[in-house]
Amino acid sequence: MRKEFRKAKTNHIDGNYEFIIDCGDLYFRENVSFENDLEYCKSIIELYNPIKIKSIKVLINYTIPYEEDIKLIKKKKLENYKQNKNNNFSVILLEFNQEHKELRLCEEMWFGYEEFNKKIISQLENLKGIYFYGRNFINQNGGTPFDTEDDEYIRNTLNNSNWHDSTFLEPLEDKDDFEQLKKLKKLVGENVEITFETFDEKSEELMIKEGIGKNKKW
């Protein structure tokens, strides 16, 4: 029987939800798929069926060895390695609170789960904005382990051939992306601003023309 590396930690108090999905080590797990981990995460949230949401935070945690860790593992034939906060990484999938009233939503969490996300969005209290951004691994010091592109490192150095490149919204090229964003805007209405991390000029022009949203201005 394959070992289950994933564990869910959940907190729910008076409309405040937190879901922390620990997904094990990206070196010692075999053929890790971020899509499969997302599906596991989604299933945990669905069990709770969040309603009247004042705040919600969903993140996936991984431990990730650096190349010097891997060299030591191979040399001494270790089944683990000494981990510290530099080896613990999180991907925040979505986050909302009453301080900012803006839902921060990772694009990876949106693709294929649009109806799931819209159900959550419909339950957010005092929603003022939605911000889409790309997947990013950050440790507790705000650092990243990757000298090369992160997906390449996970596939090649950490031996996870099933790990796919990050996906990004492309409403200009992808009709479904465009239609789903139009439906989202219709759901949230004119008073909720939708912004994006980095659209190219033509994609942003399309979003503005259609009254959907624009790039985030920091």
Side-chain angles (χ1 to χ4, degrees), residues 33 62 137 159 163 178-179 209 211 214:
S33 162
Y62 294 98
F137 292 85
N159 302 318
W163 190 276
F178 177 53
E179 292 299 324
K209 178 183 177 183
K214 58 187 177 181

Side-chain angles (χ1 to χ4, degrees), residues 9-40:
K9 300 176 183 177
T10 60
N11 292 295
H12 169 219
I13 302 174
D14 188 29
N16 298 286
Y17 296 85
E18 184 177 52
F19 300 89
I20 301 174
I21 313 301
D22 287 320
C23 289
D25 190 86
L26 284 180
Y27 183 78
F28 285 105
R29 284 181 64 188
E30 295 181 2
N31 294 323
V32 183
S33 162
F34 191 76
E35 290 76 15
N36 288 344
D37 288 345
L38 272 182
E39 185 63 36
Y40 175 82

Side-chain angles (χ1 to χ4, degrees), residues 164-196:
H164 294 160
D165 285 345
S166 299
T167 51
F168 300 95
L169 285 165
E170 297 181 331
L172 193 64
E173 291 80 18
D174 192 309
K175 183 178 179 181
D176 186 58
D177 279 357
F178 177 53
E179 292 299 324
Q180 290 293 345
L181 288 172
K182 283 178 64 177
K183 291 178 181 178
L184 174 61
K185 185 59 181 177
K186 184 177 180 180
L187 170 69
V188 300
E190 293 299 319
N191 292 329
V192 175
E193 183 181 47
I194 299 176
T195 55
F196 307 92

